Amino acid sequence: MKTYAVKASEIDRSWWVVDATDQTLGRLATRIATLLEGKHKPIYSPHLDTGDHVVVVNVEKIKVTGKKQEKKKYFTHSMYPGGVTWTSYREMNEAKPERVLFLAVRGMLPKNSLGRAMIKKLKIYSGPEHPHTAQSPTSLTLPY
C-alpha cells in the first residue's frame, strides 16, 4: 500500500456554524482551531491548508471560568516608548467580544503563512445573524 498524499486541488472545504452561547472560551477555541486546520479530516496534511470555514455566532455570550473576568489580561504595544496597554478580559469583552475569541483561536494556529491563511477562514459575529447563508453552512453542536 502507498501513502495517499492529498493535492491542493482535491481539498473540499465545507462551512460550519457554531453557536458560542454558554461555551467556555478555551474549549470552544480548541475545537474551532481543529476545524480550521482540518485535523478532523482523514486527508489532513500538515503542509497544506485542508481546513474548513467556520462561522461563530453569539460570541458575546462566551463564558470563562474562575476569576478570569478580572485576572486575564491582553497585551498591546503601540511601538512607541511607554506605549504598553493592558486590557482586562471584562473590558475587552464589553468593547470587542469578537476579538477575544479571535485572539484565542489565533494563538492555537501555526505561527507562519499557513496559520495566517487558516485564520482568514474564521468569521466571528456577536449576534445570532450572519451574512453567510448563501454558503449553506452546517450547524455544529459542541462538543462534537
Side-chain angles (χ1 to χ4, degrees):
M1 289 182 62
K2 298 205 176 205
T3 302
Y4 176 72
V6 67
K7 298 179 185 77
S9 60
E10 297 172 352
I11 298 171
D12 182 35
R13 301 191 196 287
S14 41
W15 283 74
W16 299 96
V17 172
V18 177
D19 188 8
T21 304
D22 294 329
Q23 297 283 332
T24 306
L25 175 63
R27 294 179 185 270
L28 176 65
T30 55
R31 294 180 183 118
I32 291 171
T34 302
L35 291 171
L36 291 174
E37 286 187 81
K39 286 192 169 185
H40 63 292
K41 296 181 177 183
I43 62 164
Y44 170 73
S45 182
H47 70 283
L48 287 175
D49 183 11
T50 57
D52 294 335
H53 296 268
V54 180
V55 178
V56 185
V57 293
N58 293 323
V59 76
E60 75 280 358
K61 298 177 185 175
I62 287 180
K63 64 179 183 177
V64 291
T65 59
K67 296 182 180 180
K68 293 187 193 88
Q69 290 274 352
E70 296 84 24
K71 292 199 173 188
K72 184 171 179 60
K73 303 285 185 190
Y74 294 95
F75 172 84
T76 55
H77 199 290
S78 67
M79 303 310 252
Y80 286 99
V84 175
T85 305
W86 291 94
T87 310
S88 71
Y89 172 82
R90 184 185 308 274
E91 294 169 1
M92 181 81 83
N93 199 28
E94 289 172 359
K96 303 174 197 167
E98 301 91 2
R99 188 85 177 141
V100 171
L101 183 63
F102 176 81
L103 291 173
V105 173
R106 190 180 71 177
M108 298 177 186
L109 294 176
K111 277 59 170 183
N112 54 23
S113 58
L114 196 58
R116 290 189 292 275
M118 290 174 185
I119 198 70
K120 288 179 184 174
K121 295 184 310 219
L122 176 63
K123 317 294 184 199
I124 304 174
Y125 300 101
S126 61
E129 301 297 321
H130 63 86
H132 303 286
T133 53
Q135 283 75 25
S136 62
T138 307
S139 180
L140 182 69
T141 56
L142 296 174
Y144 55 88

